Amino acid sequence: MAYPPTTGAAASAGPRRAAWREGVERARAAATTEPGRLRVIGAVLAALVVAFGAVTAWQVSDRQTAADAVAEHSQPLSADAANIYRSLADADTTAASAFLAGGQEPAKVRRRYEEDIDRASKLLVRAAANTEGSATAREEIRRINELLPVYTGLVEAARANNRQGLPLGGAYLRYANDTMRGKLLPAAGRLYQAETARLGEDYEAAKSWPWAAIGTGVVALAALGWAQRRDFLRTNRVFNRGLLASAAASAVVLLWLAAGHGLARAALNDSDEHGAKSLHVLNEARIDSLRARGDENLTLVARGAVVVDKEGENQGKDAYEVGYAEQMSGLIGDDGADTGSDAGGKAGAAPGSLLARARDLADDDAGRAPVNEAITRVREWQARHKVARAADDAGNYNDARAKVIGGEGSTGESFDQVDALLAKALEHEQLEFKRAADDGRGALTGLAPGAGALALLGAAAALMGIGRRLSEYR
């Protein structure tokens, strides 16, 4: 009986399948011999060492990128966000001081207000250009840009009415202050929180241990040790030079990785604890002092027109005076009572208050000195404020105003001293952060390319060591 001829596809399927099977059988047969086993072992050892180098280079590069971001991107953006908040708060405080001075506001005060607004605007432009991937930050920047012209317009309306001696100027200023505190500063605060959260994420990425690289290194060294022992048991040779060189190269990479990352982690922890966290607390302290100063000024502007309407012990009291007391409580830890000095002879600041925390976070005398001096000046400010309030309560408004916005001996002088001292402390802590962050980045320098190069040398050495054994079978 005749059968149809086999098609080309069917005819070729059998030989290909047979060739594949034949290749597998040859490889299996080769693996049962000692030379075949050695070839497999050499390939596995080389692959493990190369994988160790590649994973190390990858993970170290990721951590170095994160450390670079901490020092050059996220922390500067966080600092810019804090400066935006501070500039806006200072503009609001300065506007109130200018209003209290009357129709002929001092040129110095006016210039400070304009510089604050200009600085905030420029920082917003820079933040918008550098804030990548953060929808929250972009939204808050947009909101601030929309509200800032509204605020400045209200301040200008207050100034115009104040020049003419119209009481409506005070209402405009209070409305401007409500816009600043109810909308602008909360948006600036959320921007600061978003950038600070991003800084925290970069810190975590930079400090996380490269467990994948460490695990791969341990496996590679274990495999090299096993291969060395196998070689010894079969040949009675104590050392295989190729395998020994490969193990040495892998051990160097593993030790370099552990030591380098450990040093980088320690330096980054230092930059966080005594740099970034100090800066955060000092920024909060400076902002609280600005808000306290703004409330102090607005107490005289409003003259009791704004009271606390919420139920509680402060209900019915002057809202701005209550706000001043709250800011001072956060800053120094009480409502104005002088606690003297603590057990160490330092200026009194209640534990947990912003200035006490800032002092504790400073890691040297150069950082603690301006904070201690600021605490003393805040106490002086509180004492002067009480005298000014007593004059205002007695009906001596002009005397009270002079004690608040006057020159020597006024609360304004105390506030300026506190602000300058906190600025000095911030500058010092910024330098401390930069030094520690640079040390952290420096500890990882050269590790990624070095690990790659040593891994290639180790893989080559492993193949050479196995090659020496193979040559004995020829």
Side-chain angles (χ1 to χ4, degrees):
M1 180 178 179
Y3 292 94
T6 304
T7 62
S12 60
R16 277 204 303 270
R17 189 178 299 113
W20 176 79
R21 286 178 177 172
E22 184 179 352
V24 171
E25 289 171 359
R26 286 180 178 178
R28 186 180 299 166
T32 59
T33 65
E34 182 61 13
R37 293 191 192 98
L38 288 173
R39 289 189 182 92
V40 172
I41 290 171
V44 170
L45 291 176
L48 280 174
V49 174
V50 169
F52 173 39
V55 173
T56 298
W58 161 54
Q59 291 205 301
V60 168
S61 295
D62 277 355
R63 280 146 186 79
Q64 192 157 30
T65 299
D68 289 341
V70 165
E72 297 177 359
H73 195 73
S74 51
Q75 196 281 329
L77 278 177
S78 178
D80 282 351
N83 282 329
I84 289 170
Y85 193 111
R86 193 201 69 80
S87 296
L88 293 174
D90 191 63
D92 195 48
T93 298
T94 306
S97 297
F99 188 90
L100 280 176
Q104 298 299 320
E105 62 188 41
K108 180 180 179 181
V109 176
R110 178 64 184 176
R111 185 165 56 251
R112 178 170 175 170
Y113 166 80
E114 292 174 345
E115 287 174 352
D116 282 331
I117 296 298
D118 184 59
R119 185 185 305 110
S121 299
K122 289 179 178 178
L123 289 172
L124 284 167
V125 171
R126 189 160 72 186
N130 292 296
T131 301
E132 304 166 357
S134 175
T136 300
R138 290 196 301 271
E139 174 61 22
E140 299 307 336
I141 291 170
R142 183 195 64 77
R143 193 188 307 275
I144 296 170
N145 279 323
E146 286 182 354
L147 291 170
L148 193 54
V150 175
Y151 170 79
T152 55
L154 290 169
V155 170
E156 292 307 312
R159 290 180 66 228
N161 282 275
N162 196 32
R163 284 201 198 96
Q164 300 174 54
L166 300 176
L168 190 60
Y172 271 114
L173 187 65
R174 291 195 299 274
Y175 189 22
N177 177 259
D178 289 343
T179 301
M180 174 63 76
R181 296 200 175 190
K183 298 178 181 178
L184 271 167
L185 289 182
R190 290 189 293 270
L191 174 62
Y192 178 56
Q193 290 170 2
E195 298 298 354
T196 302
R198 184 175 180 180
L199 173 61
E201 291 171 1
D202 286 336
Y203 261 122
E204 287 300 317
K207 294 190 294 184
S208 62
W209 281 99
W211 292 117
I214 292 173
T216 307
V218 170
V219 171
L221 280 173
L224 287 166
W226 172 83
Q228 180 73 55
R229 183 173 182 276
R230 181 181 185 278
D231 190 57
F232 168 71
L233 293 175
R234 289 177 178 270
T235 66
N236 287 325
R237 293 190 182 96
V238 178
F239 292 117
N240 180 304
R241 293 178 182 177
L243 294 179
L244 186 64
S246 181
S250 299
V252 168
V253 174
L254 189 59
L255 290 173
W256 189 2
L257 173 63
H261 185 76
L263 290 172
R265 185 183 174 89
L268 288 170
N269 276 329
D270 185 44
S271 75
D272 188 17
E273 291 294 328
H274 299 291
K277 288 182 179 177
S278 290
L279 290 169
H280 180 72
V281 173
L282 285 167
N283 277 320
E284 287 189 353
R286 200 175 183 193
I287 288 165
D288 272 12
S289 70
L290 283 165
R291 296 184 66 179
R293 177 61 178 169
D295 283 328
E296 183 177 53
N297 289 336
L298 286 165
T299 300
L300 292 177
V301 173
R303 305 188 72 173
V306 182
V307 297
V308 178
D309 56 5
K310 294 181 180 179
E311 292 185 4
E313 60 179 349
N314 292 321
Q315 188 174 18
K317 294 182 180 179
D318 186 293
Y320 295 117
E321 181 62 17
V322 170
Y324 165 85
E326 289 175 350
Q327 303 308 322
M328 280 295 181
S329 179
L331 191 64
I332 204 75
D334 57 67
D335 60 0
D338 192 350
T339 59
S341 298
D342 58 25
K346 302 172 183 175
S353 65
L354 288 171
L355 289 180
R357 288 165 56 199
R359 183 178 61 195
D360 293 341
L361 285 169
D363 60 347
D364 57 17
D365 290 338
R368 285 186 289 269
V371 178
N372 279 326
E373 183 64 22
I375 293 171
T376 301
R377 298 282 78 82
V378 170
R379 291 297 183 193
E380 182 181 69
W381 179 4
Q382 290 174 321
R384 291 176 177 180
H385 176 82
K386 287 183 178 181
V387 175
R389 292 308 312 140
D392 190 36
D393 292 340
N396 298 323
Y397 175 79
N398 289 334
D399 186 33
R401 185 179 67 172
K403 293 182 184 300
V404 171
I405 65 170
E408 187 176 351
S410 69
T411 60
E413 180 188 44
S414 297
F415 162 73
D416 287 339
Q417 290 171 342
V418 170
D419 192 61
L421 287 165
L422 292 178
K424 182 179 179 181
L426 277 164
E427 182 180 0
H428 174 77
E429 294 303 321
Q430 184 68 43
L431 290 174
E432 290 289 291
F433 164 81
K434 188 73 167 59
R435 176 193 57 76
D438 286 344
D439 287 346
R441 293 193 295 168
L444 297 174
T445 300
L447 179 51
L454 285 171
L456 290 176
L457 289 174
L463 290 174
M464 289 177 62
I466 296 298
R468 288 290 301 271
R469 287 283 293 117
L470 281 171
S471 66
E472 297 172 3
Y473 289 90
R474 294 170 186 164

